[in-house]
Amino acid sequence: MDDSTEESTSKPGVLGRFSNGICIKYQSLLDRLTPYPSVRWTFTLVIFLVYCIRVVIVQGFYVISYGLGIYLLSLFIAFLSPKVDPAFTSYTDEEPTLPTTVGGEFRPFIR
């Protein structure tokens, strides 16, 4: 009947092509920087310092900075927390045991 039922996803729009190109360039940058942790940490610290200087100069964004600090602190605590909390092992039926097979290595931390 009506031949206008072509797929609209066959050709992405201008915005889709632009964002896809940006994503590909960003991912290739990340892939190239992966072997260099000192460069990544330096870049992270520079970005953090630029943000702090911007907050001081503009004299705003204090609530956003406070929320960001709480979020980063919770990520850091989750990174350091063990997978199995020893305080709650007495409440469960499962007792922590040593691995019995070669592939059954105990990994207490989730990363």
Side-chain angles (χ1 to χ4, degrees):
M1 315 274 181
D2 193 7
D3 291 331
S4 64
T5 59
E6 295 178 24
E7 288 187 30
S8 62
T9 60
S10 62
K11 271 190 166 181
V14 175
L15 186 61
R17 286 190 306 245
F18 178 73
S19 66
N20 192 18
I22 295 292
C23 289
I24 289 172
K25 289 178 184 176
Y26 176 70
Q27 188 61 47
S28 74
L29 176 68
L30 288 179
D31 292 341
R32 283 188 280 134
L33 287 178
T34 297
Y36 307 109
S38 60
V39 173
R40 290 181 293 155
W41 278 108
T42 303
F43 181 72
T44 302
L45 290 176
V46 166
I47 293 296
F48 179 72
L49 287 174
V50 167
Y51 178 77
C52 289
I53 290 170
R54 183 186 185 280
V55 167
V56 170
I57 290 174
V58 172
Q59 294 182 356
F61 296 100
Y62 296 117
V63 174
I64 294 170
S65 299
Y66 183 74
L68 180 63
I70 290 174
Y71 174 70
L72 292 175
L73 183 62
S74 71
L75 287 178
F76 181 67
I77 290 172
F79 175 75
L80 293 179
S81 299
K83 180 178 178 181
V84 180
D85 190 3
F88 295 117
T89 56
S90 63
Y91 297 120
T92 63
D93 295 334
E94 300 175 12
E95 290 294 321
T97 60
L98 293 175
T100 56
T101 62
V102 176
E105 180 181 354
F106 179 67
R107 296 180 181 223
F109 296 100
I110 299 173
R111 299 218 162 65

